[in-house]
Amino acid sequence: MGSDAVRRLADEPLDHRFKGLPPDAERAGLTVGQLAAEKRDLYSGGFTTPVLTLDAEALEHNLTALGTYAARHGLAFAPHGKTCMAPQLFRRQLDHGAWGITAAVPHQARVYRAFGIQRIFLANELVDPAALRWVAAELAADPGFRFVCYVDSVRGVQLMDRALRGQPQVVDVVVELGAGEGARTGARTDEDCRAVADAVAESAALRLVGIAGYEAEVPGADPESVHAYLRRLTALAVEFDGAGRFAADLEEIVVSAGGSAWFDAVADVFAELPELSRPVLRLLRSGAYVSHDHGWYTRLTPFNRVPEEGGLRPAFRLWTQVVSRPSPTQAFVNAGKRDIAYDLGLPEAELVRDALTGEERPAAGVRVVKLSDQHAWLETESADDVNVGDWVALGMSHPCTIFEKWPLIPVVEADGTVTDYVRTFF
């Protein structure tokens, strides 16, 4: 079912919903798949600016890099799907060895199920009765479906139990250990975690299957504090197993952590886990790796600390066009906050493509200094840096807020040929 649903995305008709795509494709009544089959050139094939693209080679490199890393370190992998919300990329992640896909909210899980995802790890406490009943119904309808979510409070467990009372399926949960005082979600102390586990034990609707957390929320995170937090997490797993807190019918114990900034620490500490009463599913949840970025994660990636283990490549490029050049030091391109991720910093000018010759050159001397809704303000050192009509490629930080602004994204080969389109569902 899942593969068929992904394939059917190619049958979607092209229309005004999709920014940057050739207007003549809609007039011709083309579908996404038909446009992909034409293998148009990004620069001469009728695409309009602004247009976001994904580099085909970088995308494949990144998918391979983290799939290989996880396998090398004995980690199962459930990449966080909130990053891209793109079923085509989910399918490729699964093809590269992912155990399942992580979600944050029920809507995301519903998208996953619509495209046949069989294993979902929801990294949040889920206390919405309607959503819980939907989960129970999905589990009842599909014996092959696996769902796990957080619990981090006794009250949350009570609300879940009440919402699921009378449902035929038990929902698997993991206790979330908070990363410290002032951090985000999660039970703050070991004793709090024990109390939550006790509450789960009293519920006929829930089954305790493991321990989880998110190490990037450690206040003032550094290698020492992150390793210490992760060792608290694994120590709780050992304690809970020894005390018989995990469900008796479990085939495996889930121990999960891992964003995109500290997966090397997760690999280190999870490798130290002693043998438990049942096999351990060491589950990593990094998501931003799929596209990487030109700023935030370029600085934070663990591959900076362990370059011998591999590396990631920025796959995004937002092509914009100079529409105004009011002075030798100022220019404006036709993309702004509606098109550009800016929550983790302003974009960086990467390339300039001459409107007359098609020649590309580095965007030396060109800086983005401000964003309006539909314009990026450029500061230039020379009157010759850019001219009206030139295309300017911007690199951006934070994949999660890049993907969400673009419902259909061209995938481009190194020679400029567009070979595919990635559909997102935010």
Side-chain angles (χ1 to χ4, degrees):
M1 179 187 78
S3 296
D4 289 343
V6 171
R7 280 193 292 269
R8 285 195 296 272
L9 289 172
D11 299 331
E12 192 166 12
L14 292 165
D15 58 27
H16 58 276
R17 293 170 297 163
F18 305 125
K19 300 187 287 186
L21 300 191
D24 67 276
E26 179 181 358
R27 287 196 299 271
L30 298 184
T31 65
V32 173
Q34 288 168 335
L35 181 59
E38 291 187 356
K39 297 183 187 283
R40 295 197 186 189
D41 183 82
L42 177 69
Y43 313 108
S44 62
F47 292 86
T48 64
T49 56
V51 59
L52 181 70
T53 64
L54 279 166
D55 181 300
E57 292 180 7
L59 195 59
E60 179 60 28
H61 171 88
N62 295 343
L63 289 163
T64 300
L66 214 57
T68 300
Y69 181 89
R72 184 187 305 129
H73 290 277
L75 299 170
F77 189 30
H80 211 316
K82 72 175 175 63
T83 296
C84 64
M85 288 304 295
Q88 292 146 287
L89 298 185
F90 298 161
R91 184 55 46 191
R92 291 179 67 175
Q93 288 171 319
L94 294 168
D95 289 345
H96 280 79
W99 170 91
I101 306 293
T102 295
V105 293
H107 161 72
Q108 293 165 0
R110 290 182 62 195
V111 172
Y112 300 178
R113 289 298 290 160
F115 289 91
I117 301 301
Q118 286 294 92
R119 292 172 176 162
I120 297 174
F121 186 99
L122 196 144
N124 247 331
E125 187 165 61
L126 181 58
V127 294
D128 182 294
L132 284 163
R133 288 192 290 270
W134 172 81
V135 168
E138 288 291 300
L139 290 167
D142 183 357
F145 175 41
R146 179 88 193 272
F147 178 88
V148 181
C149 71
Y150 282 174
V151 286
D152 78 351
S153 67
V154 171
R155 180 177 172 85
V157 170
Q158 293 168 344
L159 289 169
M160 295 175 76
D161 180 76
R162 184 170 70 174
L164 291 166
R165 209 165 291 160
Q167 298 293 323
Q169 298 298 316
V170 172
V171 172
D172 287 347
V173 297
V174 291
V175 173
E176 182 194 6
L177 172 66
E181 203 59 44
R184 203 164 64 186
T185 57
R188 288 290 187 261
T189 68
D190 293 4
E191 191 54 43
D192 290 339
C193 290
R194 296 181 191 108
V196 173
D198 289 342
V200 173
E202 295 174 4
S203 169
L206 303 176
R207 183 174 76 151
L208 185 63
V209 302
I211 301 285
Y214 181 46
E215 72 291 336
E217 281 294 309
V218 171
D222 59 24
E224 183 178 354
S225 60
V226 168
H227 278 78
Y229 163 73
L230 290 167
R231 289 190 176 104
R232 278 187 63 205
L233 185 78
T234 55
L236 268 177
V238 172
E239 177 196 315
F240 277 24
D241 184 49
R245 290 184 180 275
F246 297 128
D249 60 344
L250 277 190
E251 293 181 0
E252 61 185 7
I253 295 167
V254 178
V255 182
S256 179
S260 295
W262 293 101
F263 54 74
D264 57 334
V266 174
D268 289 346
V269 175
F270 280 15
E272 300 169 355
L273 257 170
E275 186 173 335
L276 301 184
S277 63
R278 279 149 288 186
V280 177
L281 184 73
R282 296 166 170 84
L283 193 61
L284 182 69
R285 306 192 307 271
S286 311
Y289 81 98
V290 67
S291 63
H292 202 44
D293 71 6
H294 283 89
W296 185 258
Y297 286 107
T298 293
R299 294 188 293 272
L300 291 184
T301 177
F303 287 125
N304 292 338
R305 293 186 289 272
V306 287
E308 69 278 6
E309 293 261 29
L312 300 171
R313 300 177 188 169
F316 277 127
R317 185 167 281 164
L318 178 65
W319 283 104
T320 66
Q321 194 166 29
V322 179
V323 293
S324 182
R325 188 74 159 108
S327 78
T329 60
Q330 194 175 36
F332 292 86
V333 294
N334 60 347
K337 294 178 181 178
R338 304 296 174 89
D339 314 296
I340 295 170
Y342 57 92
D343 57 315
L344 292 178
L346 291 172
E348 301 172 1
E350 300 284 326
L351 292 172
V352 176
R353 184 179 179 84
D354 191 283
L356 296 178
T357 68
E359 179 187 356
E360 287 186 10
R361 61 183 185 273
V366 181
R367 292 176 297 279
V368 179
V369 295
K370 182 179 176 180
L371 296 178
S372 300
D373 280 354
Q374 305 290 178
H375 294 93
W377 299 50
L378 305 186
E379 182 180 86
T380 61
E381 293 179 358
S382 164
D384 298 324
D385 288 340
V386 295
N387 291 291
V388 169
D390 289 350
W391 282 28
V392 179
L394 302 181
M396 296 171 285
S397 285
H398 200 187
C400 300
T401 53
I402 300 171
F403 274 108
E404 71 179 12
K405 297 177 184 298
W406 292 85
L408 194 63
I409 307 170
V411 179
V412 184
E413 300 291 337
D415 64 357
T417 303
V418 179
T419 55
D420 200 4
Y421 297 83
V422 168
R423 183 73 159 92
T424 65
F425 292 85
F426 284 93

